[in-house]
Amino acid sequence: MTANSSPASARTPRHREPHSISLVIPCYNEEDVLPELRRRLQELVSQYSCPVEVVLVDDGSKDNTWSLLAQYSREDKFIKAVRLARNFGHQTAITCGLDQTRGEVVVILDADLQDPPELIPDMIKDWRDGYDVVYGQRKVRHGESFAKKFFAFAFYRTFEKIAGLKVPRDTGDFRLMDRRAVNALQSLRERHRFVRGMVSWIGYHQKALLYDRPERFAGTTKYPFRKSLFLAIDAITSFTYAPLRLASYLGIATSALAFLYIFVVIALKILGISFSGYTSLMASILLLGGVQLTVLGILGEYVGRIFEQGQQRPLYLIDTIQGEPLESAQHSSCKACGQ
Ligand code: UDP
Ligand code: MG
């Protein structure tokens, strides 16, 4: 049992296969991986007798992603292709995909096959044991730069300390969720979304599934350092106001320094030692200016988020939806049983 998994006594095993399964896959300029992804999904879907839908969300791609997804949804009945009006970002594309699902269990995975679809049966086994969330936790991460791994390492540890929320380390968004966990997640409509943190926040029974994370199958990462940094800032600002407290600490520390400085100057004056004021004046102006701007910047991050939340714009806009796999599957099974 992992640190985050719940004791067996608290869970009610389901002892059955899910009635229906949904997969959510955000895609941004992924034309190179889509044919292989489709092949692997076909293999997975053929193993299940229950209805399976795969919701592929095109997050405003500029390459051939949409034409491929539209073609797949025409040819494979299990595919639902959703095209967003523009690029809204990975976390929002996941949210859109979740909103579109109807399955009893939902699995989120990346398009680049770094989250192997072949692990889904193992996740479903844990779901049968009564878990509501089964998240993929990386044992080894192949093909990622040292800087990226170090950033992830430092982020998870810092986040846990300052936010007081245990987001399992070394995880992405690869996870299976029971319908009740999906409903809970959908009720959180905050604009700046850190999905894996939000899933931790909802609780229920969660378990890790350890796996070796392979390299991206093709193409390049859509998460350059800048985007990872913004996600980290979103994560921190949406779960804690610790940085604002840090601003107060900075203020207190600077005031303490100023008092110390005044004390030293007076003591030197009494001892008859005087020195030119220009250097110390410049130093204190720069120090105070720097501290004030930093504090204002931190405050600005929160005020900006309050502003955006206050606007109440929709989280995303959909351009096109193609295919309705679960509806047709449920419909045909109704016909089969004559209802
Ligand atoms: N993605 C997206 N919108 C974006 C950026 C990425 O939908 O603006 C998708 C991308 O297509 C992939 C997933 O998010 O399916 C994760 O991206 P990527 O694999 O590039 O991230 P990495 O694994 O390098 O952190
Ligand atoms: Mg990837």
Side-chain angles (χ1 to χ4, degrees):
M1 195 173 74
T2 60
N4 274 26
S5 61
S6 39
S9 55
R11 284 176 280 118
T12 313
R14 297 179 175 92
H15 294 312
R16 61 172 175 85
E17 289 297 320
H19 297 310
S20 50
I21 303 169
S22 298
L23 270 54
V24 170
I25 309 181
C27 309
Y28 180 55
N29 295 339
E30 297 287 10
E31 62 180 5
D32 295 333
V33 299
L34 288 179
E36 176 65 9
L37 174 69
R38 181 196 195 186
R39 192 189 65 73
R40 306 251 298 257
L41 290 173
Q42 284 170 335
E43 263 175 28
L44 177 86
V45 171
S46 67
Q47 294 174 29
Y48 287 96
S49 52
C50 69
V52 181
E53 68 172 352
V54 178
V55 180
L56 290 152
V57 182
D58 175 13
D59 187 17
S61 299
K62 292 175 183 65
D63 64 359
N64 262 330
T65 297
W66 175 251
S67 49
L68 287 171
L69 296 189
Q71 179 204 332
Y72 296 171
S73 76
R74 281 192 298 272
E75 293 171 2
D76 290 332
K77 284 285 157 267
F78 64 87
I79 290 182
K80 179 174 188 173
V82 180
R83 183 187 205 180
L84 289 175
R86 62 168 173 82
N87 177 248
F88 282 90
H90 179 212
Q91 304 290 294
T92 308
I94 289 177
T95 306
C96 165
L98 289 174
D99 291 345
Q100 291 294 322
T101 59
R102 290 157 182 255
E104 187 181 14
V105 302
V106 179
V107 186
I108 305 169
L109 55 162
D110 286 354
D112 59 2
L113 295 165
Q114 284 197 283
D115 303 333
E118 292 73 20
L119 290 177
I120 292 176
D122 290 336
M123 290 180 153
I124 291 182
K125 235 179 254 160
D126 288 330
W127 176 85
R128 285 208 307 258
D129 286 344
Y131 288 100
D132 300 294
V133 176
V134 184
Y135 52 87
Q137 192 165 35
R138 301 150 188 188
K139 271 192 291 184
V140 188
R141 306 158 70 121
H142 295 291
E144 287 180 2
S145 67
F146 173 78
K148 189 161 186 161
K149 283 189 215 168
F150 178 75
F151 182 74
F153 174 89
F155 168 73
Y156 281 106
R157 279 141 192 92
T158 314
F159 182 84
E160 195 177 307
K161 278 227 158 55
I162 66 171
L165 175 75
K166 216 173 162 64
V167 174
R169 294 172 182 185
D170 306 318
T171 57
D173 290 302
F174 183 30
R175 64 198 65 226
L176 171 146
M177 284 187 278
D178 179 66
R179 178 48 59 186
R180 72 169 177 157
V182 175
N183 289 345
L185 184 62
Q186 280 174 304
S187 68
L188 314 180
R189 301 311 281 180
E190 59 218 53
R191 169 153 298 277
H192 292 271
R193 307 177 76 76
F194 178 53
V195 173
R196 66 205 78 155
M198 292 158 79
V199 176
S200 292
W201 182 87
I202 62 175
Y204 295 130
H205 304 299
Q206 307 211 3
K207 189 188 179 202
L209 180 76
L210 293 174
Y211 74 111
D212 287 344
R213 190 163 212 240
E215 278 185 50
R216 172 177 256 284
F217 179 76
T220 51
T221 177
K222 310 299 176 303
Y223 259 97
F225 180 73
R226 186 179 53 86
K227 273 197 193 172
S228 303
L229 183 67
F230 287 160
L231 181 65
I233 294 174
D234 276 346
I236 290 171
T237 48
S238 57
F239 278 94
T240 173
Y241 55 84
L244 288 177
R245 210 173 285 149
L246 179 78
S248 322
Y249 295 154
L250 261 179
I252 294 168
T254 324
S255 309
L257 261 180
F259 278 118
L260 187 72
Y261 180 72
I262 292 167
F263 177 77
V264 171
V265 169
I266 292 173
L268 290 176
K269 258 262 169 343
I270 292 169
L271 293 173
I273 306 167
S274 65
F275 52 88
S276 147
Y278 179 74
T279 319
S280 52
L281 203 63
M282 277 308 285
S284 50
I285 287 174
L286 287 177
L287 177 75
L288 273 179
V291 168
Q292 279 174 359
L293 285 178
T294 308
V295 169
L296 264 182
I298 295 174
L299 207 65
E301 287 291 332
Y302 284 88
V303 174
R305 280 166 174 75
I306 297 169
F307 166 70
E308 286 196 348
Q309 196 68 36
Q311 285 180 311
Q312 296 202 333
R313 292 187 183 173
L315 291 180
Y316 56 82
L317 292 172
I318 293 177
D319 179 73
T320 316
I321 300 181
Q322 212 172 286
E324 197 59 78
L326 277 198
E327 195 162 73
S328 53
Q330 278 156 1
H331 195 63
S332 59
S333 62
C334 287
K335 269 197 262 174
C337 64
Q339 289 176 354

